[in-house]
Amino acid sequence: MKNRIVLLGPPASGKGTQAALLAATFGLPAASTGAMLREEKSRGSAIGTEAERWTTQGGLVPDELALRIVWQWIDGRTRFIFDGFPRTLGQAQAFDDGLQERGLTLDVVYLLELSDETVLNRICTRLTCPGCGSVFNESFHFVTKGSPCPSCGVELTRRKDDTREALDRRLSEYRKETLPVTEHYEARGLLRRIDASPARAVLFQALYDDLCANNPEEALS
Ligand code: ADP
């Protein structure tokens, strides 16, 4: 079984949703550096306050800060799914080295591919729950800004960085900083490209099938 998984992809490609589904299915702990930074901010911690300077405009936080929260979270864990990390070549190299020091290696990196046009459509209709972190879409979930979260009842909001201006910046950061990370993992034979445009259940099935491809005993009947 693949126990150390990374999900990469542009904003709104479904990394968080798929990480949660894989975590629930395979019992793997999942972490999103973006969600961890938002949690730090809502707790009013020093890391959260520092991170907000970068995240609201759609820029990346410094590698040192992203790595700090990652190693804090890993803290002895040997199995994981990361969503949205590593996001720069510097983070990927530090991650490889840190894992090696712990006697671990990555098993697979999935790149969820999505066109800019679909990213824009999804971002403009995306609502998130500040209470439980669930993500909804105005186009097909019958919710609007301020509706109670169907999972926990807290009012749904739009993320501060889900604006047209911040998105342009996030997409250009993605191309400049994160695509080289995918090349890094491709060169190591770890990268798998997945079309992220289908519905979430279909995308999940593609990931699930790939994860089980060499482990038939893992496949659910
Ligand atoms: P998305 O991928 O949908 O843009 P995330 O929730 O993954 O959103 O991240 C939100 C923001 O948090 C990013 O735009 C960036 O500012 C910051 N961030 C998240 N992960 C990292 C990381 N590994 N390195 C640097 N910045 C990060």
Side-chain angles (χ1 to χ4, degrees), residues 11-12 15 32-35 37-38 54-55 58-61 66 83-85 87 91 126 159 161 170:
K15 303 180 296 282
S32 149
T33 42
L37 291 169
R38 285 189 289 280
W54 315 86
T55 55
L60 293 179
V61 305
D83 131 29
F85 173 87
R87 251 211 219 359
Q91 290 177 18
R126 173 158 89 170
R159 262 170 54 175
D161 57 349
R170 282 153 73 198

mmCIF file with all atom_site columns, all heavy atoms in Angstrom, residues 11-12 15 32-35 37-38 54-55 58-61 66 83-85 87 91 126 159 161 170, ligand 1:
data_model
loop_
_atom_site.group_PDB
_atom_site.id
_atom_site.type_symbol
_atom_site.label_atom_id
_atom_site.label_alt_id
_atom_site.label_comp_id
_atom_site.label_asym_id
_atom_site.label_entity_id
_atom_site.label_seq_id
_atom_site.pdbx_PDB_ins_code
_atom_site.Cartn_x
_atom_site.Cartn_y
_atom_site.Cartn_z
_atom_site.occupancy
_atom_site.B_iso_or_equiv
_atom_site.pdbx_formal_charge
_atom_site.auth_seq_id
_atom_site.auth_comp_id
_atom_site.auth_asym_id
_atom_site.auth_atom_id
_atom_site.pdbx_PDB_model_num
ATOM   1   N N   . PRO A 1 11  ? -5.251  25.836 -7.804 1.00 0.00 ? 11  PRO A N   1
ATOM   2   C CA  . PRO A 1 11  ? -6.337  26.105 -6.869 1.00 0.00 ? 11  PRO A CA  1
ATOM   3   C C   . PRO A 1 11  ? -7.629  25.484 -7.399 1.00 0.00 ? 11  PRO A C   1
ATOM   4   O O   . PRO A 1 11  ? -7.857  25.465 -8.601 1.00 0.00 ? 11  PRO A O   1
ATOM   5   C CB  . PRO A 1 11  ? -6.465  27.634 -6.869 1.00 0.00 ? 11  PRO A CB  1
ATOM   6   C CG  . PRO A 1 11  ? -5.175  28.150 -7.403 1.00 0.00 ? 11  PRO A CG  1
ATOM   7   C CD  . PRO A 1 11  ? -4.585  27.069 -8.262 1.00 0.00 ? 11  PRO A CD  1
ATOM   8   N N   . ALA A 1 12  ? -8.455  24.988 -6.473 1.00 0.00 ? 12  ALA A N   1
ATOM   9   C CA  . ALA A 1 12  ? -9.774  24.435 -6.801 1.00 0.00 ? 12  ALA A CA  1
ATOM   10  C C   . ALA A 1 12  ? -9.727  23.174 -7.667 1.00 0.00 ? 12  ALA A C   1
ATOM   11  O O   . ALA A 1 12  ? -10.718 22.808 -8.284 1.00 0.00 ? 12  ALA A O   1
ATOM   12  C CB  . ALA A 1 12  ? -10.658 25.490 -7.463 1.00 0.00 ? 12  ALA A CB  1
ATOM   13  N N   . LYS A 1 15  ? -7.923  19.154 -4.432 1.00 0.00 ? 15  LYS A N   1
ATOM   14  C CA  . LYS A 1 15  ? -6.908  18.491 -3.596 1.00 0.00 ? 15  LYS A CA  1
ATOM   15  C C   . LYS A 1 15  ? -7.455  18.191 -2.191 1.00 0.00 ? 15  LYS A C   1
ATOM   16  O O   . LYS A 1 15  ? -7.304  17.084 -1.693 1.00 0.00 ? 15  LYS A O   1
ATOM   17  C CB  . LYS A 1 15  ? -5.642  19.360 -3.451 1.00 0.00 ? 15  LYS A CB  1
ATOM   18  C CG  . LYS A 1 15  ? -4.989  19.747 -4.766 1.00 0.00 ? 15  LYS A CG  1
ATOM   19  C CD  . LYS A 1 15  ? -3.749  20.610 -4.536 1.00 0.00 ? 15  LYS A CD  1
ATOM   20  C CE  . LYS A 1 15  ? -4.013  21.945 -3.895 1.00 0.00 ? 15  LYS A CE  1
ATOM   21  N NZ  . LYS A 1 15  ? -4.540  22.988 -4.788 1.00 0.00 ? 15  LYS A NZ  1
ATOM   22  N N   . SER A 1 32  ? -3.252  19.703 5.021  1.00 0.00 ? 32  SER A N   1
ATOM   23  C CA  . SER A 1 32  ? -3.172  20.729 3.979  1.00 0.00 ? 32  SER A CA  1
ATOM   24  C C   . SER A 1 32  ? -2.447  21.911 4.588  1.00 0.00 ? 32  SER A C   1
ATOM   25  O O   . SER A 1 32  ? -2.874  22.428 5.632  1.00 0.00 ? 32  SER A O   1
ATOM   26  C CB  . SER A 1 32  ? -4.589  21.128 3.570  1.00 0.00 ? 32  SER A CB  1
ATOM   27  O OG  . SER A 1 32  ? -4.620  22.485 3.159  1.00 0.00 ? 32  SER A OG  1
ATOM   28  N N   . THR A 1 33  ? -1.353  22.333 3.950  1.00 0.00 ? 33  THR A N   1
ATOM   29  C CA  . THR A 1 33  ? -0.628  23.476 4.527  1.00 0.00 ? 33  THR A CA  1
ATOM   30  C C   . THR A 1 33  ? -1.509  24.728 4.472  1.00 0.00 ? 33  THR A C   1
ATOM   31  O O   . THR A 1 33  ? -1.487  25.552 5.375  1.00 0.00 ? 33  THR A O   1
ATOM   32  C CB  . THR A 1 33  ? 0.725   23.713 3.818  1.00 0.00 ? 33  THR A CB  1
ATOM   33  O OG1 . THR A 1 33  ? 0.552   23.556 2.408  1.00 0.00 ? 33  THR A OG1 1
ATOM   34  C CG2 . THR A 1 33  ? 1.783   22.771 4.313  1.00 0.00 ? 33  THR A CG2 1
ATOM   35  N N   . GLY A 1 34  ? -2.334  24.861 3.399  1.00 0.00 ? 34  GLY A N   1
ATOM   36  C CA  . GLY A 1 34  ? -3.240  26.013 3.301  1.00 0.00 ? 34  GLY A CA  1
ATOM   37  C C   . GLY A 1 34  ? -4.227  26.026 4.467  1.00 0.00 ? 34  GLY A C   1
ATOM   38  O O   . GLY A 1 34  ? -4.428  27.054 5.119  1.00 0.00 ? 34  GLY A O   1
ATOM   39  N N   . ALA A 1 35  ? -4.843  24.871 4.747  1.00 0.00 ? 35  ALA A N   1
ATOM   40  C CA  . ALA A 1 35  ? -5.815  24.793 5.851  1.00 0.00 ? 35  ALA A CA  1
ATOM   41  C C   . ALA A 1 35  ? -5.119  25.022 7.195  1.00 0.00 ? 35  ALA A C   1
ATOM   42  O O   . ALA A 1 35  ? -5.659  25.695 8.086  1.00 0.00 ? 35  ALA A O   1
ATOM   43  C CB  . ALA A 1 35  ? -6.512  23.434 5.834  1.00 0.00 ? 35  ALA A CB  1
ATOM   44  N N   . LEU A 1 37  ? -2.509  26.843 7.730  1.00 0.00 ? 37  LEU A N   1
ATOM   45  C CA  . LEU A 1 37  ? -2.219  28.285 7.858  1.00 0.00 ? 37  LEU A CA  1
ATOM   46  C C   . LEU A 1 37  ? -3.491  29.056 8.221  1.00 0.00 ? 37  LEU A C   1
ATOM   47  O O   . LEU A 1 37  ? -3.461  29.975 9.041  1.00 0.00 ? 37  LEU A O   1
ATOM   48  C CB  . LEU A 1 37  ? -1.614  28.826 6.562  1.00 0.00 ? 37  LEU A CB  1
ATOM   49  C CG  . LEU A 1 37  ? -0.198  28.331 6.229  1.00 0.00 ? 37  LEU A CG  1
ATOM   50  C CD1 . LEU A 1 37  ? 0.198   28.700 4.801  1.00 0.00 ? 37  LEU A CD1 1
ATOM   51  C CD2 . LEU A 1 37  ? 0.833   28.893 7.218  1.00 0.00 ? 37  LEU A CD2 1
ATOM   52  N N   . ARG A 1 38  ? -4.642  28.666 7.626  1.00 0.00 ? 38  ARG A N   1
ATOM   53  C CA  . ARG A 1 38  ? -5.901  29.351 7.963  1.00 0.00 ? 38  ARG A CA  1
ATOM   54  C C   . ARG A 1 38  ? -6.274  29.095 9.427  1.00 0.00 ? 38  ARG A C   1
ATOM   55  O O   . ARG A 1 38  ? -6.765  29.975 10.122 1.00 0.00 ? 38  ARG A O   1
ATOM   56  C CB  . ARG A 1 38  ? -7.030  28.905 7.015  1.00 0.00 ? 38  ARG A CB  1
ATOM   57  C CG  . ARG A 1 38  ? -6.927  29.521 5.627  1.00 0.00 ? 38  ARG A CG  1
ATOM   58  C CD  . ARG A 1 38  ? -8.145  29.253 4.767  1.00 0.00 ? 38  ARG A CD  1
ATOM   59  N NE  . ARG A 1 38  ? -8.255  27.870 4.320  1.00 0.00 ? 38  ARG A NE  1
ATOM   60  C CZ  . ARG A 1 38  ? -7.574  27.343 3.302  1.00 0.00 ? 38  ARG A CZ  1
ATOM   61  N NH1 . ARG A 1 38  ? -6.749  28.086 2.609  1.00 0.00 ? 38  ARG A NH1 1
ATOM   62  N NH2 . ARG A 1 38  ? -7.731  26.075 2.966  1.00 0.00 ? 38  ARG A NH2 1
ATOM   63  N N   . TRP A 1 54  ? 0.999   37.166 3.401  1.00 0.00 ? 54  TRP A N   1
ATOM   64  C CA  . TRP A 1 54  ? 1.258   36.604 2.064  1.00 0.00 ? 54  TRP A CA  1
ATOM   65  C C   . TRP A 1 54  ? -0.006  36.014 1.457  1.00 0.00 ? 54  TRP A C   1
ATOM   66  O O   . TRP A 1 54  ? -0.277  36.228 0.275  1.00 0.00 ? 54  TRP A O   1
ATOM   67  C CB  . TRP A 1 54  ? 2.315   35.495 2.152  1.00 0.00 ? 54  TRP A CB  1
ATOM   68  C CG  . TRP A 1 54  ? 3.484   35.852 3.000  1.00 0.00 ? 54  TRP A CG  1
ATOM   69  C CD1 . TRP A 1 54  ? 3.609   35.700 4.352  1.00 0.00 ? 54  TRP A CD1 1
ATOM   70  C CD2 . TRP A 1 54  ? 4.694   36.475 2.567  1.00 0.00 ? 54  TRP A CD2 1
ATOM   71  N NE1 . TRP A 1 54  ? 4.813   36.160 4.780  1.00 0.00 ? 54  TRP A NE1 1
ATOM   72  C CE2 . TRP A 1 54  ? 5.510   36.643 3.698  1.00 0.00 ? 54  TRP A CE2 1
ATOM   73  C CE3 . TRP A 1 54  ? 5.171   36.884 1.320  1.00 0.00 ? 54  TRP A CE3 1
ATOM   74  C CZ2 . TRP A 1 54  ? 6.761   37.216 3.629  1.00 0.00 ? 54  TRP A CZ2 1
ATOM   75  C CZ3 . TRP A 1 54  ? 6.422   37.449 1.246  1.00 0.00 ? 54  TRP A CZ3 1
ATOM   76  C CH2 . TRP A 1 54  ? 7.203   37.610 2.399  1.00 0.00 ? 54  TRP A CH2 1
ATOM   77  N N   . THR A 1 55  ? -0.775  35.281 2.256  1.00 0.00 ? 55  THR A N   1
ATOM   78  C CA  . THR A 1 55  ? -1.870  34.484 1.681  1.00 0.00 ? 55  THR A CA  1
ATOM   79  C C   . THR A 1 55  ? -3.000  35.341 1.111  1.00 0.00 ? 55  THR A C   1
ATOM   80  O O   . THR A 1 55  ? -3.545  35.015 0.068  1.00 0.00 ? 55  THR A O   1
ATOM   81  C CB  . THR A 1 55  ? -2.458  33.509 2.723  1.00 0.00 ? 55  THR A CB  1
ATOM   82  O OG1 . THR A 1 55  ? -2.860  34.259 3.866  1.00 0.00 ? 55  THR A OG1 1
ATOM   83  C CG2 . THR A 1 55  ? -1.475  32.462 3.143  1.00 0.00 ? 55  THR A CG2 1
ATOM   84  N N   . GLY A 1 58  ? -2.619  36.233 -2.337 1.00 0.00 ? 58  GLY A N   1
ATOM   85  C CA  . GLY A 1 58  ? -2.438  35.109 -3.262 1.00 0.00 ? 58  GLY A CA  1
ATOM   86  C C   . GLY A 1 58  ? -0.987  34.713 -3.461 1.00 0.00 ? 58  GLY A C   1
ATOM   87  O O   . GLY A 1 58  ? -0.679  33.901 -4.324 1.00 0.00 ? 58  GLY A O   1
ATOM   88  N N   . GLY A 1 59  ? -0.083  35.288 -2.655 1.00 0.00 ? 59  GLY A N   1
ATOM   89  C CA  . GLY A 1 59  ? 1.338   34.903 -2.749 1.00 0.00 ? 59  GLY A CA  1
ATOM   90  C C   . GLY A 1 59  ? 1.592   33.668 -1.889 1.00 0.00 ? 59  GLY A C   1
ATOM   91  O O   . GLY A 1 59  ? 0.729   33.243 -1.121 1.00 0.00 ? 59  GLY A O   1
ATOM   92  N N   . LEU A 1 60  ? 2.787   33.090 -2.017 1.00 0.00 ? 60  LEU A N   1
ATOM   93  C CA  . LEU A 1 60  ? 3.134   31.937 -1.184 1.00 0.00 ? 60  LEU A CA  1
ATOM   94  C C   . LEU A 1 60  ? 3.806   32.419 0.090  1.00 0.00 ? 60  LEU A C   1
ATOM   95  O O   . LEU A 1 60  ? 4.523   33.429 0.071  1.00 0.00 ? 60  LEU A O   1
ATOM   96  C CB  . LEU A 1 60  ? 4.106   31.028 -1.933 1.00 0.00 ? 60  LEU A CB  1
ATOM   97  C CG  . LEU A 1 60  ? 3.565   30.313 -3.167 1.00 0.00 ? 60  LEU A CG  1
ATOM   98  C CD1 . LEU A 1 60  ? 4.667   29.470 -3.799 1.00 0.00 ? 60  LEU A CD1 1
ATOM   99  C CD2 . LEU A 1 60  ? 2.369   29.445 -2.823 1.00 0.00 ? 60  LEU A CD2 1
ATOM   100 N N   . VAL A 1 61  ? 3.605   31.707 1.187  1.00 0.00 ? 61  VAL A N   1
ATOM   101 C CA  . VAL A 1 61  ? 4.346   32.039 2.414  1.00 0.00 ? 61  VAL A CA  1
ATOM   102 C C   . VAL A 1 61  ? 5.788   31.565 2.221  1.00 0.00 ? 61  VAL A C   1
ATOM   103 O O   . VAL A 1 61  ? 6.055   30.691 1.391  1.00 0.00 ? 61  VAL A O   1
ATOM   104 C CB  . VAL A 1 61  ? 3.711   31.396 3.681  1.00 0.00 ? 61  VAL A CB  1
ATOM   105 C CG1 . VAL A 1 61  ? 2.248   31.769 3.810  1.00 0.00 ? 61  VAL A CG1 1
ATOM   106 C CG2 . VAL A 1 61  ? 3.892   29.891 3.690  1.00 0.00 ? 61  VAL A CG2 1
ATOM   107 N N   . ALA A 1 66  ? 6.338   27.392 5.806  1.00 0.00 ? 66  ALA A N   1
ATOM   108 C CA  . ALA A 1 66  ? 5.587   26.199 5.382  1.00 0.00 ? 66  ALA A CA  1
ATOM   109 C C   . ALA A 1 66  ? 6.241   24.946 5.972  1.00 0.00 ? 66  ALA A C   1
ATOM   110 O O   . ALA A 1 66  ? 5.562   24.055 6.501  1.00 0.00 ? 66  ALA A O   1
ATOM   111 C CB  . ALA A 1 66  ? 5.551   26.120 3.859  1.00 0.00 ? 66  ALA A CB  1
ATOM   112 N N   . ASP A 1 83  ? -1.668  17.784 0.998  1.00 0.00 ? 83  ASP A N   1
ATOM   113 C CA  . ASP A 1 83  ? -2.397  18.469 -0.068 1.00 0.00 ? 83  ASP A CA  1
ATOM   114 C C   . ASP A 1 83  ? -1.854  19.887 -0.163 1.00 0.00 ? 83  ASP A C   1
ATOM   115 O O   . ASP A 1 83  ? -1.871  20.638 0.792  1.00 0.00 ? 83  ASP A O   1
ATOM   116 C CB  . ASP A 1 83  ? -3.894  18.352 0.265  1.00 0.00 ? 83  ASP A CB  1
ATOM   117 C CG  . ASP A 1 83  ? -4.692  19.633 0.202  1.00 0.00 ? 83  ASP A CG  1
ATOM   118 O OD1 . ASP A 1 83  ? -4.353  20.536 -0.564 1.00 0.00 ? 83  ASP A OD1 1
ATOM   119 O OD2 . ASP A 1 83  ? -5.691  19.695 0.933  1.00 0.00 ? 83  ASP A OD2 1
ATOM   120 N N   . GLY A 1 84  ? -1.286  20.213 -1.338 1.00 0.00 ? 84  GLY A N   1
ATOM   121 C CA  . GLY A 1 84  ? -0.757  21.562 -1.532 1.00 0.00 ? 84  GLY A CA  1
ATOM   122 C C   . GLY A 1 84  ? 0.619   21.778 -0.926 1.00 0.00 ? 84  GLY A C   1
ATOM   123 O O   . GLY A 1 84  ? 1.051   22.905 -0.747 1.00 0.00 ? 84  GLY A O   1
ATOM   124 N N   . PHE A 1 85  ? 1.312   20.739 -0.630 1.00 0.00 ? 85  PHE A N   1
ATOM   125 C CA  . PHE A 1 85  ? 2.698   20.807 -0.150 1.00 0.00 ? 85  PHE A CA  1
ATOM   126 C C   . PHE A 1 85  ? 3.434   19.601 -0.708 1.00 0.00 ? 85  PHE A C   1
ATOM   127 O O   . PHE A 1 85  ? 2.846   18.510 -0.705 1.00 0.00 ? 85  PHE A O   1
ATOM   128 C CB  . PHE A 1 85  ? 2.761   20.784 1.383  1.00 0.00 ? 85  PHE A CB  1
ATOM   129 C CG  . PHE A 1 85  ? 4.172   20.676 1.895  1.00 0.00 ? 85  PHE A CG  1
ATOM   130 C CD1 . PHE A 1 85  ? 4.943   21.803 2.102  1.00 0.00 ? 85  PHE A CD1 1
ATOM   131 C CD2 . PHE A 1 85  ? 4.750   19.418 2.127  1.00 0.00 ? 85  PHE A CD2 1
ATOM   132 C CE1 . PHE A 1 85  ? 6.258   21.702 2.530  1.00 0.00 ? 85  PHE A CE1 1
ATOM   133 C CE2 . PHE A 1 85  ? 6.065   19.303 2.545  1.00 0.00 ? 85  PHE A CE2 1
ATOM   134 C CZ  . PHE A 1 85  ? 6.815   20.451 2.752  1.00 0.00 ? 85  PHE A CZ  1
ATOM   135 N N   . ARG A 1 87  ? 5.222   23.047 -2.383 1.00 0.00 ? 87  ARG A N   1
ATOM   136 C CA  . ARG A 1 87  ? 4.752   23.962 -3.413 1.00 0.00 ? 87  ARG A CA  1
ATOM   137 C C   . ARG A 1 87  ? 5.859   24.699 -4.133 1.00 0.00 ? 87  ARG A C   1
ATOM   138 O O   . ARG A 1 87  ? 5.595   25.431 -5.074 1.00 0.00 ? 87  ARG A O   1
ATOM   139 C CB  . ARG A 1 87  ? 3.921   25.012 -2.701 1.00 0.00 ? 87  ARG A CB  1
ATOM   140 C CG  . ARG A 1 87  ? 2.452   24.857 -3.008 1.00 0.00 ? 87  ARG A CG  1
ATOM   141 C CD  . ARG A 1 87  ? 1.645   25.766 -3.055 1.00 0.00 ? 87  ARG A CD  1
ATOM   142 N NE  . ARG A 1 87  ? 0.492   26.390 -2.883 1.00 0.00 ? 87  ARG A NE  1
ATOM   143 C CZ  . ARG A 1 87  ? -0.641  25.983 -2.369 1.00 0.00 ? 87  ARG A CZ  1
ATOM   144 N NH1 . ARG A 1 87  ? -0.751  24.797 -1.867 1.00 0.00 ? 87  ARG A NH1 1
ATOM   145 N NH2 . ARG A 1 87  ? -1.667  26.760 -2.346 1.00 0.00 ? 87  ARG A NH2 1
ATOM   146 N N   . GLN A 1 91  ? 10.988  23.727 -1.076 1.00 0.00 ? 91  GLN A N   1
ATOM   147 C CA  . GLN A 1 91  ? 10.232  22.902 -0.121 1.00 0.00 ? 91  GLN A CA  1
ATOM   148 C C   . GLN A 1 91  ? 10.385  21.415 -0.461 1.00 0.00 ? 91  GLN A C   1
ATOM   149 O O   . GLN A 1 91  ? 10.537  20.571 0.426  1.00 0.00 ? 91  GLN A O   1
ATOM   150 C CB  . GLN A 1 91  ? 8.750   23.268 -0.154 1.00 0.00 ? 91  GLN A CB  1
ATOM   151 C CG  . GLN A 1 91  ? 8.433   24.629 0.435  1.00 0.00 ? 91  GLN A CG  1
ATOM   152 C CD  . GLN A 1 91  ? 6.954   24.990 0.321  1.00 0.00 ? 91  GLN A CD  1
ATOM   153 O OE1 . GLN A 1 91  ? 6.090   24.142 0.118  1.00 0.00 ? 91  GLN A OE1 1
ATOM   154 N NE2 . GLN A 1 91  ? 6.652   26.269 0.463  1.00 0.00 ? 91  GLN A NE2 1
ATOM   155 N N   . ARG A 1 126 ? -17.109 29.139 -5.239 1.00 0.00 ? 126 ARG A N   1
ATOM   156 C CA  . ARG A 1 126 ? -16.731 28.305 -4.089 1.00 0.00 ? 126 ARG A CA  1
ATOM   157 C C   . ARG A 1 126 ? -17.067 28.989 -2.766 1.00 0.00 ? 126 ARG A C   1
ATOM   158 O O   . ARG A 1 126 ? -16.794 30.165 -2.582 1.00 0.00 ? 126 ARG A O   1
ATOM   159 C CB  . ARG A 1 126 ? -15.227 28.028 -4.167 1.00 0.00 ? 126 ARG A CB  1
ATOM   160 C CG  . ARG A 1 126 ? -14.673 27.313 -2.947 1.00 0.00 ? 126 ARG A CG  1
ATOM   161 C CD  . ARG A 1 126 ? -13.400 26.616 -3.265 1.00 0.00 ? 126 ARG A CD  1
ATOM   162 N NE  . ARG A 1 126 ? -12.211 27.448 -3.090 1.00 0.00 ? 126 ARG A NE  1
ATOM   163 C CZ  . ARG A 1 126 ? -10.982 26.972 -3.138 1.00 0.00 ? 126 ARG A CZ  1
ATOM   164 N NH1 . ARG A 1 126 ? -10.766 25.687 -3.360 1.00 0.00 ? 126 ARG A NH1 1
ATOM   165 N NH2 . ARG A 1 126 ? -9.950  27.765 -2.974 1.00 0.00 ? 126 ARG A NH2 1
ATOM   166 N N   . ARG A 1 159 ? -13.545 32.420 0.843  1.00 0.00 ? 159 ARG A N   1
ATOM   167 C CA  . ARG A 1 159 ? -12.174 32.612 1.325  1.00 0.00 ? 159 ARG A CA  1
ATOM   168 C C   . ARG A 1 159 ? -11.657 33.976 0.881  1.00 0.00 ? 159 ARG A C   1
ATOM   169 O O   . ARG A 1 159 ? -11.960 34.410 -0.217 1.00 0.00 ? 159 ARG A O   1
ATOM   170 C CB  . ARG A 1 159 ? -11.282 31.494 0.762  1.00 0.00 ? 159 ARG A CB  1
ATOM   171 C CG  . ARG A 1 159 ? -11.057 30.375 1.741  1.00 0.00 ? 159 ARG A CG  1
ATOM   172 C CD  . ARG A 1 159 ? -10.410 29.201 1.109  1.00 0.00 ? 159 ARG A CD  1
ATOM   173 N NE  . ARG A 1 159 ? -9.162  29.509 0.414  1.00 0.00 ? 159 ARG A NE  1
ATOM   174 C CZ  . ARG A 1 159 ? -8.376  28.597 -0.135 1.00 0.00 ? 159 ARG A CZ  1
ATOM   175 N NH1 . ARG A 1 159 ? -8.704  27.325 -0.062 1.00 0.00 ? 159 ARG A NH1 1
ATOM   176 N NH2 . ARG A 1 159 ? -7.273  28.937 -0.735 1.00 0.00 ? 159 ARG A NH2 1
ATOM   177 N N   . ASP A 1 161 ? -8.885  34.810 -0.155 1.00 0.00 ? 161 ASP A N   1
ATOM   178 C CA  . ASP A 1 161 ? -8.051  34.787 -1.357 1.00 0.00 ? 161 ASP A CA  1
ATOM   179 C C   . ASP A 1 161 ? -8.814  34.245 -2.567 1.00 0.00 ? 161 ASP A C   1
ATOM   180 O O   . ASP A 1 161 ? -8.235  34.038 -3.616 1.00 0.00 ? 161 ASP A O   1
ATOM   181 C CB  . ASP A 1 161 ? -6.754  33.991 -1.118 1.00 0.00 ? 161 ASP A CB  1
ATOM   182 C CG  . ASP A 1 161 ? -7.001  32.561 -0.657 1.00 0.00 ? 161 ASP A CG  1
ATOM   183 O OD1 . ASP A 1 161 ? -8.155  32.227 -0.315 1.00 0.00 ? 161 ASP A OD1 1
ATOM   184 O OD2 . ASP A 1 161 ? -6.043  31.781 -0.653 1.00 0.00 ? 161 ASP A OD2 1
ATOM   185 N N   . ARG A 1 170 ? -2.270  33.596 -7.651 1.00 0.00 ? 170 ARG A N   1
ATOM   186 C CA  . ARG A 1 170 ? -2.095  32.189 -7.248 1.00 0.00 ? 170 ARG A CA  1
ATOM   187 C C   . ARG A 1 170 ? -1.760  31.319 -8.455 1.00 0.00 ? 170 ARG A C   1
ATOM   188 O O   . ARG A 1 170 ? -0.925  30.417 -8.373 1.00 0.00 ? 170 ARG A O   1
ATOM   189 C CB  . ARG A 1 170 ? -3.357  31.669 -6.551 1.00 0.00 ? 170 ARG A CB  1
ATOM   190 C CG  . ARG A 1 170 ? -3.449  32.155 -5.116 1.00 0.00 ? 170 ARG A CG  1
ATOM   191 C CD  . ARG A 1 170 ? -4.875  32.231 -4.630 1.00 0.00 ? 170 ARG A CD  1
ATOM   192 N NE  . ARG A 1 170 ? -5.490  30.958 -4.365 1.00 0.00 ? 170 ARG A NE  1
ATOM   193 C CZ  . ARG A 1 170 ? -6.815  30.775 -4.264 1.00 0.00 ? 170 ARG A CZ  1
ATOM   194 N NH1 . ARG A 1 170 ? -7.637  31.782 -4.414 1.00 0.00 ? 170 ARG A NH1 1
ATOM   195 N NH2 . ARG A 1 170 ? -7.292  29.584 -3.983 1.00 0.00 ? 170 ARG A NH2 1
HETATM 196 P P1  . ADP B 2 .   ? -5.308  26.725 -3.123 1.00 0.00 ? 1   ADP B P1  1
HETATM 197 O O1  . ADP B 2 .   ? -4.406  25.624 -3.525 1.00 0.00 ? 1   ADP B O1  1
HETATM 198 O O2  . ADP B 2 .   ? -6.748  26.427 -3.400 1.00 0.00 ? 1   ADP B O2  1
HETATM 199 O O3  . ADP B 2 .   ? -4.880  28.058 -3.653 1.00 0.00 ? 1   ADP B O3  1
HETATM 200 P P2  . ADP B 2 .   ? -4.566  26.329 -0.293 1.00 0.00 ? 1   ADP B P2  1
HETATM 201 O O4  . ADP B 2 .   ? -5.607  26.232 0.743  1.00 0.00 ? 1   ADP B O4  1
HETATM 202 O O5  . ADP B 2 .   ? -3.792  25.100 -0.608 1.00 0.00 ? 1   ADP B O5  1
HETATM 203 O O6  . ADP B 2 .   ? -5.281  26.937 -1.563 1.00 0.00 ? 1   ADP B O6  1
HETATM 204 O O7  . ADP B 2 .   ? -3.521  27.502 0.090  1.00 0.00 ? 1   ADP B O7  1
HETATM 205 C C1  . ADP B 2 .   ? -3.965  28.813 0.370  1.00 0.00 ? 1   ADP B C1  1
HETATM 206 C C2  . ADP B 2 .   ? -2.762  29.748 0.475  1.00 0.00 ? 1   ADP B C2  1
HETATM 207 O O8  . ADP B 2 .   ? -1.910  29.334 1.564  1.00 0.00 ? 1   ADP B O8  1
HETATM 208 C C3  . ADP B 2 .   ? -1.845  29.771 -0.752 1.00 0.00 ? 1   ADP B C3  1
HETATM 209 O O9  . ADP B 2 .   ? -2.290  30.672 -1.757 1.00 0.00 ? 1   ADP B O9  1
HETATM 210 C C4  . ADP B 2 .   ? -0.523  30.243 -0.097 1.00 0.00 ? 1   ADP B C4  1
HETATM 211 O O10 . ADP B 2 .   ? -0.542  31.620 0.156  1.00 0.00 ? 1   ADP B O10 1
HETATM 212 C C5  . ADP B 2 .   ? -0.525  29.537 1.236  1.00 0.00 ? 1   ADP B C5  1
HETATM 213 N N1  . ADP B 2 .   ? 0.148   28.217 1.186  1.00 0.00 ? 1   ADP B N1  1
HETATM 214 C C6  . ADP B 2 .   ? -0.446  27.005 1.327  1.00 0.00 ? 1   ADP B C6  1
HETATM 215 N N2  . ADP B 2 .   ? 0.456   26.021 1.258  1.00 0.00 ? 1   ADP B N2  1
HETATM 216 C C7  . ADP B 2 .   ? 1.658   26.611 1.038  1.00 0.00 ? 1   ADP B C7  1
HETATM 217 C C8  . ADP B 2 .   ? 2.980   26.132 0.864  1.00 0.00 ? 1   ADP B C8  1
HETATM 218 N N3  . ADP B 2 .   ? 3.272   24.815 0.883  1.00 0.00 ? 1   ADP B N3  1
HETATM 219 N N4  . ADP B 2 .   ? 3.970   27.035 0.679  1.00 0.00 ? 1   ADP B N4  1
HETATM 220 C C9  . ADP B 2 .   ? 3.722   28.353 0.644  1.00 0.00 ? 1   ADP B C9  1
HETATM 221 N N5  . ADP B 2 .   ? 2.489   28.882 0.796  1.00 0.00 ? 1   ADP B N5  1
HETATM 222 C C10 . ADP B 2 .   ? 1.459   28.021 1.003  1.00 0.00 ? 1   ADP B C10 1
#
